[in-house]
Each structure stands twice: as C-alpha cells, then as structure tokens.
C-alpha cells in the first residue's frame, strides 16, 4: 500500500516537472518569435502583439526618405533613426498609398526579412533584437502610378515600449501630379482663346 502511494507521488512529481518543461518551451518559443521579427497578424495595424499598449507620446524615432517625389522605378532611401538617446531593437516598415494599399518594393539588408502583408514582400522586419541607432533600406518605386506614398513604421524600444505608425514625409507621385498640374494651365489657355475669339466676333 505504502509502495503504491510512493509510486503515485513520484509519478505526480514527474508529471508536474514535465508540464513545467512544456510551458517553458512554449514560452521560449513565443519570446523567440518576437525577437526574430513582427508576425503576420501585425500587417494592418502594425501593432507587434506584445500584450502591452503602444506609446502615445511623440516617438523618439523618425522616418527619413531620400526623395519626396517619385516616378516609376526610382530608388528611394528609407531610414528609421533615433532622434534622442533611445535605441530601438525591432521594427516593422511598410509603404502605403493614399488608399491604404501596401506597396512592395523594399530591398533587404542584413538581419532583415520580408513579412507577407497582402503580397510576399509587403513589409520588412528585423531578424534579431540588438540595439540599433538606425536602419536604412532602399525602396524601389512602383513602375506604374500608385498615387502618393507614405512610409509607415513601428519601432520597438523593448518588449513593453513601442511606437506604431510613425510616418515619413509623403512621397508625391509625379505622374499623377504632373497630369493635374498641366490640366489647369491648359484650361486657362482654352478659356482665354475662347474669350478672345468672342471679342473678335463682336
């Protein structure tokens, strides 16, 4: 009888140890997944899913673009950089047009990877969580007109501290703006011509 009780107690302890090991493995896997980049569930609201709320104070980071106007195929540098002493460990970077469509076009750098957001290369994110002062990507503008483009970024200082949807200056679609900028002068020219023609007849 006593032997059965001891055996049952031993089995219970082994079961608890086994359960704790499983929990620890799952936890490590979860944390490791965050350290190696954003998850696909972050594609729309760009929130990393760290079980904490995004900061609402001004971000100590900024997004700098090399051009503020593009034509098809242009290469534009995109830099996420700190503006104060706070470094960042993780990031998620997307390009979107005025309609909110995600625009692929980033070229990978060291320790980065694509995140499939609406397309296989719809965003870029980190693959390791070392402290960073800045990261710079090259973005190739779409060959066909997509409207004005803005770069959106999430920057992660640490697991509980991050800022989402940090915006760059707008990159103007020169094809669309060029068409609209020519439209008004042409209209004025037509109106003036018609007015002059009317005066001549009278």
């Amino acid at each position: 009888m006593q032997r059965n009780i001891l055996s049952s107690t031993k089995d219970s302890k082994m079961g608890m140890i086994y359960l704790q090991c499983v929990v620890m493995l799952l936890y490590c896997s979860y944390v490791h997944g965050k350290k190696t980049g954003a998850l696909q569930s972050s594609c729309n609201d760009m929130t990393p899913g760290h079980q904490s709320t995004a900061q609402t104070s001004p971000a100590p980071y900024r997004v700098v673009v090399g051009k503020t106007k593009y034509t098809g195929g242009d290469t534009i540098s995109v830099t996420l950089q700190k503006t104060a002493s706070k470094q960042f460990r993780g990031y998620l970077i997307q390009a979107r047009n005025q309609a909110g469509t995600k625009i692929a076009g980033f070229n990978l750098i060291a320790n980065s990877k694509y995140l499939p957001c609406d397309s296989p290369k719809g965003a870029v994110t980190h693959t390791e969580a070392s402290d960073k002062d800045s990261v710079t990507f090259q973005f190739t503008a779409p060959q066909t007109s997509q409207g004005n483009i803005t770069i959106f970024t999430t920057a992660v200082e640490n697991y509980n501290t991050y800022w989402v949807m940090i915006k760059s200056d707008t990159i103007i679609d020169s094809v669309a703006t060029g068409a609209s900028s020519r439209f008004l002068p042409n209209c004025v020219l037509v109106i003036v011509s018609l007015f002059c023609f009317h005066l001549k007849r009278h």
Side-chain angles (χ1 to χ4, degrees):
M1 180 70 174
Q2 186 177 4
R3 184 180 297 176
N4 290 337
I5 293 174
L6 291 174
S7 177
S8 177
T9 303
K10 184 178 180 181
D11 290 342
S12 178
K13 287 182 179 179
M14 289 299 294
M16 287 298 295
I17 293 171
Y18 176 77
L19 180 60
Q20 289 173 351
C21 289
V22 170
V23 170
M24 285 298 296
L25 285 171
L26 289 173
Y27 176 79
C28 291
S29 175
Y30 175 78
V31 171
H32 178 72
K34 302 300 181 183
K35 287 185 177 180
T36 56
L39 303 177
Q40 196 169 356
S41 59
S42 303
C43 284
N44 292 327
D45 62 10
M46 301 192 73
T47 300
H50 286 186
Q51 298 180 339
S52 58
T53 306
Q55 301 298 303
T56 56
S57 59
Y61 315 106
R62 64 179 177 177
V63 185
V64 179
V65 291
K67 294 181 179 180
T68 54
K69 184 175 287 188
Y70 79 90
T71 55
D74 279 356
T75 299
I76 304 167
S77 64
V78 176
T79 300
L80 170 63
Q81 60 186 206
K82 67 177 186 178
T83 58
S85 60
K86 293 181 178 180
Q87 295 177 302
F88 60 93
R89 294 179 181 177
Y91 58 84
L92 172 61
I93 304 176
Q94 289 180 0
R96 299 184 183 186
N97 66 10
Q98 297 143 293
T101 303
K102 302 172 187 68
I103 310 295
F106 286 103
N107 299 309
L108 293 180
I109 60 173
N111 300 318
S112 70
K113 67 179 181 181
Y114 290 117
L115 188 66
C117 294
D118 296 351
S119 67
K121 300 179 180 180
V124 287
T125 188
H126 59 284
T127 59
E128 49 78 41
S130 63
D131 289 329
K132 305 168 183 63
D133 291 330
S134 67
V135 290
T136 298
F137 287 86
Q138 299 302 316
F139 177 78
T140 304
Q143 292 290 345
T144 57
S145 177
Q146 296 289 330
N148 298 342
I149 293 174
T150 303
I151 309 300
F152 290 88
T153 299
T154 289
V156 179
E157 180 187 346
N158 55 54
Y159 190 83
N160 293 315
T161 309
Y162 58 89
W163 288 259
V164 302
M165 305 292 280
I166 306 168
K167 296 195 300 183
S168 71
D169 291 336
T170 300
I171 307 170
I172 305 297
D173 184 344
S174 60
V175 173
T177 55
S180 61
S181 63
R182 290 191 300 269
F183 178 75
L184 183 58
N186 289 342
C187 285
V188 172
L189 182 61
V190 170
I191 291 170
V192 171
S193 299
L194 289 173
F195 180 73
C196 291
F197 178 75
H198 178 75
L199 288 177
K200 286 180 181 180
R201 293 193 60 183
H202 295 79

